[in-house]
Amino acid sequence: MINYGRQFIDDEDIQAVVDTLKSDFLTQGSKVPEFESAVCDRVNAKFAVAANSATSALHLACLAVDLKEGDIVWTAPNTFVASSNCALYCGAKVDFVDIDKDTWNMCPDKLRIKLEESKQKNLLPKAVIPVHFSGQPTIQEEIYKLSKEYNFIIIEDASHSIGSSRNNEPSGSCKWSDIAIFSFHPVKMITTGEGGMALTNNEEYAKKMDLFRSHGISRDSNILEKNDLPKYYYEQHSLGYNYRMTDIHAALGISQLRKLDKFIDTRNKIASRYNTELKELPLDLPCIAEGNKSSYHLYVIKVKDTFSKQKSRDKIYSELIEMGIGVNLHYLPVHLHPYYRKLGFCDNQYPVSENYADNALSIPIFYSLTKDQQTKVIDSIKQALK
Ligand SMILES: *Cc1c(COP(=O)(O)O)cnc(C)c1O
């Protein structure tokens, strides 16, 4: 089976992990700060806070901006549940903004309309969490403009988009946001096994995330209430968690980051071959907005509505699995999960996301996907769409 995504680990990665295993510190050593500053340099952000997953980092971001009961957060329905769960952890209420039918990202026009309507009803969001779906950046400068007009915080779920850019601005630079989150799960562009990172240019947010990541405990003399104390002394100032990344994971991350350019380059080459070879089929292919460079975390094909009446996506899905092509769906819209339905969401609320989810398939794309495997993917899709 050719999976839709997989990690690429070389001898350098393995050596980096082994070296850390043989060192004095498996956690809270020098590797995490080293990884954080390497990512900051790479994406042009001032501060980074590594965490044991992107889900934890999203939660840290929500805590840093002080989300709490009574607050409202909006995200896109077409995402992994973590983009929305993080707000629920803080007791906030979640709502969604539907996606654009071409880019499959949160639609800035729909966002504006929903903001106008919500202003009348006094239901404006405290934070909006746009997701750079599949690695394609959202039209972030427009969302940013709206954030100034309607006074909301932006937390980018950039789990798919390390290595992407918009108008040459790297994803994660936070030029048009307050905080951005990367994921280092093995199917993402670079991996630490499990891991995530929050990027920000706001020092106060960075300090808060750092505190919340480690129990709310500090030894920083600028923060401590008492002074002139022995080195063992620390104070807990807020109710934090243990969301720390280990040095073993960070060592892998540092080594993986060196390969990011090559990973993104290859993913773009594969995408471009798919664009050419699949264009005659009854499919909507990824539509990359002007100014965007995608990391191509995912390559999604969407069966055209006219064709899906003849043959359903699920039938195509089964046939491709049968042929050894590990296609997948990203995503079942968040609001349609049983947990969210219990919160009051239902069918037909976000029609573009729902239509997308009825017809989309993520096909294999990753650095080590060979030319022959690509050919097999292409031929199998042609076969299934006959
Ligand atoms: C992968 C992913 C996450 C969660 O990442 P983890 O590191 O697995 O916690 C969050 N949001 C999106 C959009 C993702 O794809």
Side-chain angles (χ1 to χ4, degrees), residues 29 44 64 116 118 130 132 148 244 251 261-262 304 310 328 346 361:
N44 246 337
E116 280 163 13
S118 303
H132 308 301
K148 295 300 160 204
R244 291 188 305 259
D261 284 332
K262 143 175 134 172
K304 280 196 192 289
Q310 266 168 260
N328 210 315
C346 59
L361 281 175

Side-chain angles (χ1 to χ4, degrees), residues 53-55 58 79-80 82-83 131 157 159-160 183 185 188 195 331:
S53 71
T55 304
L58 280 162
T79 185
F80 186 55
S83 314
V131 182
D157 185 340
S159 291
H160 297 184
S183 170
H185 182 279
K188 307 288 161 70
Y331 294 92

Side-chain angles (χ1 to χ4, degrees), residues 51-58 78-84 131-134 157-160 181-188 193-197 297-298 330-331:
N52 57 10
S53 71
T55 304
S56 305
L58 280 162
N78 180 32
T79 185
F80 186 55
V81 289
S83 314
S84 160
V131 182
H132 308 301
F133 177 75
S134 77
D157 185 340
S159 291
H160 297 184
I181 308 296
F182 290 143
S183 170
F184 307 123
H185 182 279
V187 295
K188 307 288 161 70
E194 294 277 4
M197 197 177 281
H297 161 53
L298 300 173
H330 301 94
Y331 294 92

Side-chain angles (χ1 to χ4, degrees), residues 255-309:
S255 177
Q256 284 266 301
L257 187 65
R258 291 193 198 110
K259 293 182 270 281
L260 178 61
D261 284 332
K262 143 175 134 172
F263 288 169
I264 301 292
D265 206 46
T266 299
R267 284 173 177 272
N268 272 270
K269 284 192 180 121
I270 297 169
S272 141
R273 181 165 176 210
Y274 284 158
N275 287 342
T276 310
E277 301 218 27
L278 302 175
K279 71 166 184 257
E280 307 295 338
L281 299 173
L283 294 171
D284 292 328
L285 300 179
C287 174
I288 304 300
E290 206 183 313
N292 276 353
K293 176 172 181 184
S294 179
S295 63
Y296 277 107
H297 161 53
L298 300 173
Y299 190 99
V300 175
I301 58 175
K302 184 171 169 272
V303 183
K304 280 196 192 289
D305 293 342
T306 43
F307 190 84
S308 65
K309 288 190 187 92

Side-chain angles (χ1 to χ4, degrees), residues 68-81:
K68 47 186 183 309
E69 218 175 304
D71 291 333
I72 299 170
V73 174
W74 294 355
T75 186
N78 180 32
T79 185
F80 186 55
V81 289

